[in-house]
Amino acid sequence: MKFKIQRDDLLMPLQHVIGAVEKRQTLPALANVLIKADKELLTITATDLEIELVSRIQLMVDQPGEITLPAKKLLDICKSLPGDAEISIDIDNDRALIKSGRSRFTLVTLPATDFPSLDEISSVYEFNVPQSMLKELIEKTSFAMAQQDVRYYLNGLMMEVSSGLIRTVATDGHRLAYCEKTIEGDLIDSKQVIIPRKGVAELLRLLESSDDPIKVVLGNNHIQCELANQRFTSKLIDGRFPDFKRVMPSEEGNRFTADRESLKQALIRSSILSNEKYRGIRVILSKDLLKLQAQNPDQEEANVEVEINYTGDDLEVGFNVNYMLDVLNTSGQDVIQGVIKDSSSSCLMTFPEESHCKYVIMPMRL
Amino acid sequence: MMNTELTCPIHWQRAIALIDMNAFFASVEMRDFPELRGQPVAITNGLQGTCIITCSYEARAYGIKTGMRLKEAYTLCPQLIQRPTRPNVYAQVSTRIMHAISTICPDMEIFSVDEAFVDMTPCQQLYGSPGRIAHLLKRAVFDASGLLCSIGVSGDKTTAKYAAKVNKPDGFTIIPPWEARQRLHAVPVTELCGIAQGIGGFLARYGVHVCGDMQKLPISILAQRFGNPGRRIWYMAQGLDPDEIHTDIADPKSIGHGKVIPPNTRDRDVILTYLLHMTVKVSARLRRYQFEARTYFIGFKSYDGWLGGKMKLATPQNDTHLLFQLCKSALDQHWHGEGLMQVQVTALDPQPTRLQLDLFATDPCLEQHKQLNHAVDQVNHRYGDMTLTPARLLNRSSMPNVIAPSWKPDGHRQSI
């Protein structure tokens, strides 16, 4: 295998796939990227056996072939070369010779046959959505995913497609984020999948805020997303996602509306003195006024007031302040609306201008 | 009694005292049983115990020490009198002593079952000089318990602790803060509280053997090796220990109970009874102080060492039944019929009970256990521990409870 390539042309695709390479791996080949040189196409693949990222580059190749190279070292070499450098890669026996200007590197290779590939994907479902839509669906919800929860099905993002609707839901058992969008196409039956945390993060890195379509393929065990020069594949979490419809509170109750930015600033200010570990904050609602109270173990106290629109019952509820801030940070809208039944029921938060997203937070005992 | 008001008429910027009971358990026994007074007495855990927990000063004169085997002690002093511990009595006496101290100086740190630091700084306005306050404290301890104690007074904890050791028993030593550095100058650093062989060896390599040598050592060397505790050591040796009186009881690092079981036990039922006994104690204590834990150490000591290991739950819990299930699976996993001599159940990462409510309903079974535990706890709180227990514990061991040195009159350390 032998080819010449501009430094930037190699750096970009390498950066696209590097996220799949784990820092520590059990299989030596997983520390490498697979480089496959066809006559006019160079393909770079990285995997951790759960997700697989592929980048493609149009390139005239001197001598076709395939090999795997140490991913991190190859990326670091590329990064350290000047922007306009030309790199030549030449495989000789089991060594890779990389030359650019007056720098030469030899890297240890592993044969392409050692490189694991994900199982064949049996397509069950296929649809196209604008990239920006998929991006929004993930961005508005993925923050609520659990981390290393024993309920493994919570450590991911649920995506559900049914007649004309695509929705994403994430929850860690204490709060839940929900987003739905309409999609075109004749989708008859519905399909629900759970994408693991790492896959969600890598997929998000791939997406741009453009209306270019992305092809999404849902298999029984995989999700695959195809862009012009990139492909993302992830295994799915095999589990039953909790019934989110059951925990969606009714829209009836004590309702307040507030300016998002002033509520956010008030929460940030009062959170300075909330318990660093438990992040509890007392929310006191009275006519057109929201009071925030935080106390830490040193008995230091914060009291912050915000004007809101509220005509409901006087109410005192505890919340994890981070959960509230996470919701406020998902949107740039001016107005936020909250509905609370009582101090032991969940709170429904929405942005009136973004009715396709809903957020549910369970209170804390204070 | 000397006139302490004359000895020390100046208001100290910081006045710390350490109150240390003299051979506490032995003194309590001698107080309650006059025939023991003036005799060499050794306290063991029940009459079955072979290890000396503490001994009277008369016994110490024969060279008998805490931790010594009874057999060895008898060779040193054949007329030695063995007495079993009475942990409940010691806990009661300790509580009364600590309470008496706190009525004079409320800023106190209970260092162990028979030791307490007090911050007398603010009390000077009320009672006068630190020396006078120390006399009041000594008197109060005696009135509350009928026991003598040793008191050390200085401007910091380390010097106060050193001073309390100086004239034991019934010691009374005042080292004014401005004399502390001078008084510690020739004292070996390893005599200070908290400097054992490890740190002592490190200091010795740098030529620091007595406290006076410490000034020659740049503080950064200690800071680099031991961090903030290292910096503290540097100050300690110069009579400037900055450590405050910690009035609150820190969250526990673990909560556990263990028991020695009849030698070479191989009967699964007997082992389970002991495990249940420990489980009931651990879980009740967790619940009492509103803690729960996710990881438990469940261990069985065989003649080849400890079997068992860390068992992890899905979520933090403090339910007796669930914990006993965990013990059973630990036994199934790690025990293959070896003869056992001891069992242990310890909650490794106790944390305050969760305040965050859950979105999805929890196991209804756990909810029922919660109510059962609550009822059992209420009954036992009113009528005494183990009034209401699982039926299996009717056959539990009658081996006496042991009082831990870290016992405290309030909070999660109050357990026997």
Side-chain angles (χ1 to χ4, degrees):
Chain A
M1 190 179 82
K2 193 174 175 182
F3 62 87
K4 284 196 190 69
I5 190 167
Q6 287 299 310
R7 179 251 196 195
D8 288 351
D9 292 346
L10 184 59
L11 183 61
M12 281 291 280
L14 274 177
Q15 279 172 332
H16 279 141
V17 302
I18 195 77
V21 181
E22 292 272 12
K23 284 204 184 69
R24 258 168 288 180
Q25 42 316 90
T26 42
L27 227 67
L30 294 182
N32 287 13
V33 284
L34 171 69
I35 298 183
K36 203 170 158 190
D38 291 323
K39 254 186 204 151
E40 290 174 14
L41 187 70
L42 193 70
T43 317
I44 303 178
T45 308
T47 182
D48 65 356
L49 297 178
E50 184 178 276
I51 62 175
E52 182 193 74
L53 294 169
V54 180
S55 270
R56 290 178 285 251
I57 314 134
Q58 310 297 325
L59 186 77
M60 293 306 290
V61 170
D62 298 335
Q63 196 188 328
E66 51 181 5
I67 198 77
T68 78
L69 294 177
K72 184 72 177 35
K73 288 169 201 155
L74 185 62
L75 177 71
D76 285 348
I77 290 170
C78 268
K79 266 199 224 163
S80 69
L81 290 168
D84 57 352
E86 192 188 54
I87 304 170
S88 84
I89 298 182
D90 190 356
I91 309 298
D92 184 22
N93 289 325
D94 55 354
R95 297 257 152 183
L97 180 63
I98 298 169
K99 283 190 288 193
S100 178
R102 301 176 71 175
S103 310
R104 296 161 60 91
F105 308 85
T106 38
L107 290 179
V108 175
T109 64
L110 285 172
T113 45
D114 283 9
F115 198 77
S117 59
L118 292 188
D119 311 332
E120 202 56 43
I121 296 167
S122 52
S123 166
V124 173
Y125 222 91
E126 214 178 289
F127 59 94
N128 286 297
V129 280
Q131 276 193 57
S132 55
M133 184 193 283
L134 189 58
K135 190 171 182 206
E136 186 184 351
L137 280 161
I138 297 175
E139 274 179 342
K140 300 269 184 193
T141 52
S142 58
F143 68 89
M145 291 186 292
Q147 280 188 58
Q148 297 181 329
D149 200 293
V150 278
R151 295 165 290 181
Y152 57 93
Y153 47 85
L154 296 185
N155 304 322
L157 184 75
M158 193 282 277
M159 183 187 278
E160 190 180 67
V161 196
S162 60
S163 51
L165 268 185
I166 176 166
R167 49 167 78 99
T168 47
V169 183
T171 177
D172 60 5
H174 300 148
R175 37 92 181 255
L176 178 146
Y178 172 97
C179 184
E180 67 172 29
K181 289 272 187 181
T182 49
I183 47 168
E184 290 162 22
D186 304 320
L187 301 163
I188 305 142
D189 13 287
S190 65
K191 170 89 181 155
Q192 196 190 71
V193 299
I194 308 171
I195 312 166
R197 257 193 97 87
K198 190 179 170 192
V200 173
E202 288 305 321
L203 179 56
L204 199 55
R205 252 162 47 94
L206 206 76
L207 297 170
E208 285 166 12
S209 307
S210 79
D211 286 337
D212 296 344
I214 182 166
K215 188 172 102 182
V216 181
V217 179
L218 301 182
N220 282 328
N221 305 310
H222 295 88
I223 177 172
Q224 192 166 74
C225 300
E226 187 97 43
L227 285 161
N229 286 320
Q230 290 169 69
R231 194 180 73 196
F232 160 90
T233 315
S234 170
K235 279 193 183 166
L236 296 172
I237 294 178
D238 185 13
R240 213 167 62 87
F241 200 76
D243 183 3
F244 57 90
K245 289 183 189 118
R246 219 163 41 84
V247 298
M248 280 289 181
S250 93
E251 312 237 350
E252 304 301 314
N254 298 294
R255 181 185 303 262
F256 70 84
T257 53
D259 179 59
R260 186 187 68 92
E261 190 58 32
S262 26
L263 180 59
K264 181 178 154 185
Q265 293 308 327
L267 284 166
I268 291 173
R269 272 198 292 280
S270 40
S271 73
I272 298 167
L273 295 188
S274 83
N275 186 313
E276 278 171 41
K277 201 166 160 202
Y278 306 104
R279 307 304 283 156
I281 195 163
R282 194 183 295 268
V283 177
I284 304 158
L285 286 163
S286 56
K287 181 159 176 23
D288 290 341
L289 189 69
L290 186 149
K291 274 195 252 181
L292 296 169
Q293 244 174 38
Q295 218 173 42
N296 66 13
D298 296 330
Q299 303 301 318
E300 293 166 319
E301 204 178 287
N303 280 288
V304 180
E305 294 185 358
V306 206
E307 278 178 31
I308 56 164
N309 291 316
Y310 183 70
T311 50
D313 306 335
D314 284 4
L315 211 55
E316 226 176 287
V317 202
F319 284 111
N320 181 323
V321 64
N322 289 2
Y323 294 170
M324 298 192 87
L325 281 169
D326 282 345
V327 171
L328 295 179
N329 284 330
T330 58
S331 170
Q333 295 294 330
D334 290 340
V335 179
I336 176 127
Q337 176 182 289
V339 180
I340 312 178
K341 200 171 110 224
D342 54 51
S343 62
S344 55
S345 311
S346 58
C347 170
L348 175 71
M349 291 176 89
T350 48
F351 299 96
E353 303 285 311
E354 270 177 17
S355 55
H356 57 284
C357 296
K358 288 176 182 155
Y359 304 97
V360 184
I361 305 179
M362 275 308 274
M364 283 175 94
R365 271 189 292 260
L366 285 177
Chain B
M1 192 186 278
M2 60 183 160
N3 187 341
T4 45
E5 258 139 319
L6 285 180
T7 338
C8 197
I10 309 163
H11 178 92
W12 293 11
Q13 238 174 6
R14 201 161 173 243
I16 308 289
L18 179 83
I19 299 146
D20 184 359
M21 303 308 297
N22 304 317
F24 181 48
F25 299 168
S27 302
V28 174
E29 294 307 316
M30 294 166 105
R31 178 195 74 173
D32 295 350
F33 302 97
E35 68 272 23
L36 297 176
R37 291 180 195 164
Q39 303 290 328
V41 179
I43 311 292
T44 55
N45 179 24
L47 283 170
Q48 300 111 299
T50 58
C51 179
I52 296 175
I53 294 169
T54 190
C55 56
S56 67
Y57 280 87
E58 290 80 359
R60 291 181 197 194
Y62 287 91
I64 295 165
K65 286 183 182 136
T66 298
M68 198 178 260
R69 291 274 153 191
L70 207 53
K71 234 184 195 169
E72 193 186 338
Y74 277 130
T75 60
L76 292 170
C77 171
Q79 69 272 36
L80 183 71
I81 302 167
Q82 183 198 8
R83 301 292 298 197
T85 46
R86 293 182 300 153
N88 288 310
V89 178
Y90 308 149
Q92 224 173 49
V93 176
S94 178
T95 308
R96 291 185 61 181
I97 292 171
M98 299 305 178
H99 180 74
I101 295 170
S102 73
T103 53
I104 297 172
C105 291
D107 298 329
M108 70 184 298
E109 174 183 346
I110 297 168
F111 201 58
S112 70
V113 64
D114 62 344
E115 271 176 301
F117 282 108
V118 295
D119 188 347
M120 313 192 300
T121 320
C123 306
Q124 292 179 89
Q125 291 196 5
L126 216 56
Y127 301 115
S129 72
R132 184 159 180 268
I133 301 168
H135 270 295
L136 287 174
L137 288 170
K138 217 163 157 32
R139 180 88 222 169
V141 169
F142 185 79
D143 288 346
S145 64
L147 298 174
L148 296 172
C149 65
S150 292
I151 290 196
V153 183
S154 191
D156 66 290
K157 281 166 92 172
T158 301
T159 318
K161 175 121 174 131
Y162 167 77
K165 274 199 304 194
V166 171
N167 274 319
K168 280 187 97 167
D170 197 21
F172 185 93
T173 307
I174 297 178
I175 301 178
W178 53 89
E179 284 176 19
R181 182 199 292 252
Q182 196 50 43
R183 288 284 290 273
L184 292 179
H185 194 272
V187 175
V189 280
T190 44
E191 277 198 23
L192 298 186
C193 177
I195 304 185
Q197 280 168 351
I199 300 171
F202 175 83
L203 290 171
R205 281 201 292 285
Y206 285 90
V208 178
H209 301 282
V210 295
C211 292
D213 297 333
M214 192 68 87
Q215 291 171 60
K216 292 181 276 179
L217 188 72
I219 188 170
S220 57
I221 288 179
L222 280 163
Q224 235 167 31
R225 176 67 181 80
F226 300 109
N228 257 343
R231 291 193 184 92
R232 184 183 163 204
I233 287 164
W234 192 81
Y235 285 111
M236 269 163 60
Q238 306 181 52
L240 297 168
D241 181 5
D243 197 38
E244 288 170 34
I245 301 291
H246 302 287
T247 48
D248 48 344
I249 300 171
D251 276 0
K253 294 195 178 80
S254 68
I255 285 181
H257 285 279
K259 214 166 190 64
V260 173
I261 67 178
N264 213 15
T265 301
R266 290 170 193 271
D267 184 337
R268 189 183 145 89
D269 254 7
V270 173
I271 298 168
L272 281 177
T273 303
Y274 276 96
L275 279 172
L276 181 60
H277 189 179
M278 296 305 106
T279 299
V280 165
K281 287 174 78 163
V282 170
S283 60
R285 201 161 142 219
L286 283 168
R287 291 194 298 271
R288 181 154 177 200
Y289 302 106
Q290 279 125 49
F291 284 107
E292 51 191 11
R294 205 176 147 192
T295 317
Y296 288 85
F297 172 77
I298 295 164
F300 328 99
K301 196 172 184 183
S302 75
Y303 290 84
D304 297 324
W306 281 96
L307 309 170
K310 288 183 189 174
M311 305 292 287
K312 204 163 183 181
L313 292 164
T315 49
Q317 300 292 350
N318 56 21
D319 172 39
T320 308
H321 181 74
L322 196 80
L323 186 47
F324 187 50
Q325 294 302 322
L326 201 66
C327 289
K328 277 186 183 164
S329 59
L331 195 65
D332 291 340
Q333 266 178 45
H334 298 285
W335 179 64
H336 308 287
E338 296 92 333
L340 299 181
M341 54 199 275
Q342 197 176 339
V343 297
Q344 175 77 32
V345 176
T346 302
L348 288 178
D349 55 345
Q351 44 189 282
T353 318
R354 276 161 302 163
L355 304 169
Q356 175 69 53
L357 302 176
D358 282 310
L359 208 46
F360 308 106
T362 43
D363 191 352
C365 196
L366 268 177
E367 218 32 63
Q368 273 182 8
H369 288 175
K370 211 176 222 172
Q371 286 169 17
L372 174 65
N373 286 330
H374 183 69
V376 171
D377 291 345
Q378 296 265 51
V379 169
N380 288 343
H381 187 67
R382 179 143 178 202
Y383 297 101
D385 285 349
M386 300 279 171
T387 304
L388 202 55
T389 72
R392 185 190 269 275
L393 289 190
L394 291 173
N395 315 315
R396 71 176 182 270
S397 132
S398 56
M399 182 77 183
N401 290 320
V402 180
I403 187 167
S406 61
W407 184 92
K408 301 213 168 156
D410 298 297
H412 55 81
R413 290 243 165 92
Q414 188 207 21
S415 92
I416 290 172

